[in-house]
C-alpha cells in the first residue's frame, strides 16, 4: 500500500509506505491493549460486553477481570519513521470469529502473536495459522504482573517454533515496548520476504 506525500515539495514525488500488520493471539492476551497503546490515532475498536450466553465458549480462566471481547477487529496506525507507517489490525481471539482472519490477513506483511505464559496454549492456533500460510510473525510474550517469567528460548521450545522465529518480551500497555515489538517484526519480515524473492529468481 503506497500513497503520495501531500507535503512533498513542488515537482517532487515522495512515496509514503504503509504496511499492514496483524496482532493476533488468544482470548484476553492483550491485543486490544497493544493496538491502543501504540496507535497515534484514536483506535477503532469493536468490543462488546461478555454475556452469559458466551460463558460456555469463552474460557476466562486467568483473565477473570476481562469484561469485554473483540468481535471483529481493532485498528490503529503508528509511524515508525518518516515515510513508513504501520496499519495495525487486531484479530478477535475466540475460535468462533476465526473466519475473519482470512480476510484480515490479505496483504499483510507479517503478524505479532501475543502470548501469555499463564495460558500459553491459547496462542497455538495463531502460530499454526501463520506458519501454514507462510506469513512471517514474531511471538511477543506479554509480561503480566504475577505471572512466572520464562526466557525467550523456553517459550520458543514450548511453542515448537520454526528456527529463527523471534520471541520477545513486552508490556502491551507500554507504547515504547509495543513499538520495539513492531520494529522487530518489520525487520524480521523484511529479511524473510527478501530471502524468498532471492530464492524465486535464483
Amino acid at each position: 500500500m503506497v500513497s503520495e506525500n501531500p507535503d512533498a515539495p513542488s515537482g517532487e514525488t515522495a512515496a509514503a509506505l504503509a504496511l499492514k500488520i496483524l496482532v493476533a493471539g488468544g482470548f484476553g492476551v492483550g491485543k486490544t491493549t497493544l493496538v491502543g497503546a501504540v496507535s497515534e490515532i484514536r483506535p477503532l475498536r469493536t468490543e462488546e460486553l461478555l454475556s452469559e450466553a458466551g460463558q460456555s465458549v469463552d474460557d476466562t480462566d486467568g483473565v477473570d477481570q476481562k469484561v469485554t471481547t473483540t468481535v471483529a477487529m481493532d485498528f490503529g496506525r503508528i509511524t515508525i519513521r518518516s515515510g513508513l507507517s504501520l496499519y495495525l489490525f487486531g484479530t478477535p481471539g475466540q475460535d468462533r470469529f476465526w473466519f475473519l482472519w482470512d480476510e484480515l490477513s490479505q496483504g499483510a506483511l507479517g503478524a505479532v502473536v501475543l502470548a501469555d505464559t499463564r495460558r500459553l496454549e491459547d496462542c497455538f492456533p495463531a502460530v499454526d495459522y501463520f506458519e501454514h500460510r507462510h506469513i512471517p510473525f514474531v511471538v511477543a510474550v506479554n509480561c503480566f504482573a504475577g505471572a512466572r517469567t520464562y526466557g525467550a528460548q523456553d517459550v520458543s521450545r514450548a511453542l515448537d517454533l520454526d528456527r529463527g522465529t523471534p520471541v520477545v518480551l513486552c508490556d502491551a500497555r507500554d507504547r515504547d515496548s509495543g513499538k520495539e515489538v513492531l520494529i522487530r517484526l518489520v525487520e524480521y519480515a523484511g529479511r524473510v520476504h527478501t530471502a524468498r524473492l532471492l530464492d524465486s529468481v535464483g
Side-chain angles (χ1 to χ4, degrees):
M1 186 183 302
V2 179
S3 60
E4 290 188 359
N5 183 354
D7 298 322
S10 177
E12 292 185 22
T13 300
L17 186 61
L19 304 174
K20 182 179 183 181
I21 301 295
L22 300 187
V23 180
F27 177 65
V29 76
K31 300 179 295 294
T32 298
T33 300
L34 176 65
V35 172
V38 301
S39 181
E40 62 199 16
I41 62 172
R42 183 177 180 180
L44 168 68
R45 293 175 173 160
T46 57
E47 289 195 304
E48 295 292 340
L49 291 172
L50 291 173
S51 65
E52 292 184 8
Q55 288 180 353
S56 61
V57 290
D58 293 331
D59 180 10
T60 58
D61 286 344
V63 286
D64 308 76
Q65 303 303 313
K66 187 171 177 60
V67 296
T68 62
T69 185
T70 298
V71 295
M73 68 174 187
D74 299 310
F75 174 78
R77 185 190 71 207
I78 179 174
T79 301
I80 297 297
R81 58 172 170 76
S82 177
L84 176 60
S85 297
L86 304 182
Y87 289 165
L88 308 176
F89 292 81
T91 65
Q94 301 100 308
D95 55 5
R96 67 182 185 275
F97 296 124
W98 284 349
F99 67 92
L100 294 169
W101 286 34
D102 287 338
E103 289 292 331
L104 291 175
S105 64
Q106 291 294 320
L109 174 77
V112 174
V113 175
L114 272 177
D116 178 353
T117 56
R118 300 170 302 179
R119 298 157 52 104
L120 197 58
E121 68 280 1
D122 287 1
C123 71
F124 273 113
V127 168
D128 289 342
Y129 182 90
F130 296 122
E131 284 184 345
H132 291 156
R133 287 160 180 78
H134 306 290
I135 297 174
F137 67 95
V138 302
V139 173
V141 180
N142 193 9
C143 298
F144 287 90
R148 181 178 173 184
T149 302
Y150 293 88
Q153 290 186 343
D154 294 329
V155 173
S156 181
R157 283 194 295 268
L159 294 176
D160 193 25
L161 297 176
D162 290 341
R163 185 174 181 180
T165 301
V167 176
V168 296
L169 306 182
C170 74
D171 181 344
R173 302 166 299 179
D174 182 77
R175 176 180 171 82
D176 289 337
S177 180
K179 187 175 180 178
E180 286 301 315
V181 170
L182 296 171
I183 291 172
R184 184 76 177 272
L185 170 63
V186 171
E187 292 173 346
Y188 173 64
R191 293 194 300 270
V192 170
H193 288 296
T194 298
R196 289 175 183 170
L197 179 61
L198 293 175
D199 286 344
S200 69
V201 299

